[in-house]
Amino acid sequence: MAAHQNRFHFGNGFFSPQFPHHTQILYKLCLDFHICFCYTVSIIKSIKERICMKIAILYDSATGNTAYLAEALHKAYPDAALCTPDTCSVTDADCVLLGFWTDKGTCSDKLKAVLPELSGKKVFLFGTAGFGASDSYFSQLIDRVKAELPADCQVMGWYMCAGRMGEGVRRRYEQMCENPETREKGEMLLRNFEAAAAHPNADDAAALVERCRAALG
Ligand SMILES: Cc1cc2nc3c(=O)[nH]c(=O)nc-3n(C[C@H](O)[C@H](O)[C@H](O)COP(=O)(O)O)c2cc1C
């Protein structure tokens, strides 16, 4: 058979003219079947991993803001264990939804103390902060909390929003406004205080759940 008559002619290998045409077709079918089989197996494996993934929600909250977000996640993942550093361990979980409140630029010491338990796990971070004006600020906070995690954690994603602060903080800012030297800063902080007072709210909770679902697949 002339080379140009053989549609599987790729040189001198298996698809060269010395192999019969039907053997080449059979070989190609086997190859296609093998590729389809491997692909299907990998899809089934990843679906199974997602369905069987054990999730735990571990959070710390001093005044209730982060607890509100944790509750929203628990409604979305009702089978997940819901715990605080005081109440349970996350040893059995494959994936931990880790909630923190911002304490001097990072997560609380109480939460830091249980982070070694997250070794080898998937982690989705969520948190609240008194200063919630920009994503770049949130991003810095997230980087600091990530740095506290064991090195072998796989961070799947994160979500942060503002969280209202206590009345004592407002009084401090109001006092700053009474002093001409600190008035400008005090006014800026008061504006931020008022903006944060509306958070976290139902929209924040919905955005968190959406972000988490997208991250975990
Ligand atoms: C002691 C203390 C330190 C805080 N430090 C920060 C901070 O560094 N940055 C920030 O944005 N918010 C800070 N906040 C504000 C809280 O992170 C914010 O109000 C948070 O939503 C509280 O969450 P929770 O109600 O879950 O405790 C601080 C609050 C307190 C009481």
Side-chain angles (χ1 to χ4, degrees), residues 100-110 112 128 141:
F100 66 95
W101 64 278
T102 306
D103 184 2
K104 296 174 228 67
T106 181
C107 59
S108 64
D109 288 342
K110 199 172 173 185
K112 278 181 199 167
T128 59
L141 297 175

Side-chain angles (χ1 to χ4, degrees), residues 59-69 99-106 127-132 137-138 141 144 160-166 169 172-173 192 196 199-200:
Y59 71 96
D60 186 32
S61 179
T63 63
N65 297 336
T66 314
Y68 173 83
L69 294 182
F100 66 95
W101 64 278
T102 306
D103 184 2
K104 296 174 228 67
T106 181
T128 59
F131 298 88
Y137 175 63
F138 289 156
L141 297 175
R144 286 199 204 116
M160 281 205 75
C161 69
R164 64 188 63 83
M165 291 176 280
V169 177
R172 216 169 54 235
Y173 294 161
N192 172 77
H199 300 274

Side-chain angles (χ1 to χ4, degrees), residues 153-174:
C153 280
Q154 188 189 347
V155 178
M156 310 294 286
W158 61 270
Y159 175 83
M160 281 205 75
C161 69
R164 64 188 63 83
M165 291 176 280
E167 282 304 306
V169 177
R170 184 208 291 272
R171 278 195 292 280
R172 216 169 54 235
Y173 294 161
E174 282 170 349

Side-chain angles (χ1 to χ4, degrees), residues 54-193:
K54 278 194 195 154
I55 297 176
I57 303 163
L58 169 64
Y59 71 96
D60 186 32
S61 179
T63 63
N65 297 336
T66 314
Y68 173 83
L69 294 182
E71 292 290 347
L73 280 174
H74 197 220
K75 277 187 197 135
Y77 297 96
D79 294 334
L82 181 65
C83 34
T84 67
D86 300 321
T87 57
C88 75
S89 114
V90 294
T91 319
D92 290 343
D94 306 304
C95 177
V96 178
L97 315 184
L98 182 69
F100 66 95
W101 64 278
T102 306
D103 184 2
K104 296 174 228 67
T106 181
C107 59
S108 64
D109 288 342
K110 199 172 173 185
L111 195 63
K112 278 181 199 167
V114 295
L115 294 183
E117 280 191 45
L118 272 58
S119 176
K121 297 184 191 298
K122 292 178 177 169
V123 174
F124 179 87
L125 290 168
F126 65 99
T128 59
F131 298 88
S134 77
D135 251 8
S136 68
Y137 175 63
F138 289 156
S139 193
Q140 284 172 33
L141 297 175
I142 288 290
D143 283 346
R144 286 199 204 116
V145 176
K146 272 186 191 168
E148 300 290 341
L149 295 173
D152 58 357
C153 280
Q154 188 189 347
V155 178
M156 310 294 286
W158 61 270
Y159 175 83
M160 281 205 75
C161 69
R164 64 188 63 83
M165 291 176 280
E167 282 304 306
V169 177
R170 184 208 291 272
R171 278 195 292 280
R172 216 169 54 235
Y173 294 161
E174 282 170 349
Q175 279 164 8
M176 286 173 78
C177 293
E178 286 162 16
N179 180 342
E181 279 178 22
T182 52
R183 178 176 299 139
E184 201 177 328
K185 191 169 179 201
E187 284 172 354
M188 184 273 286
L189 290 170
L190 259 185
R191 279 196 299 277
N192 172 77
F193 181 95

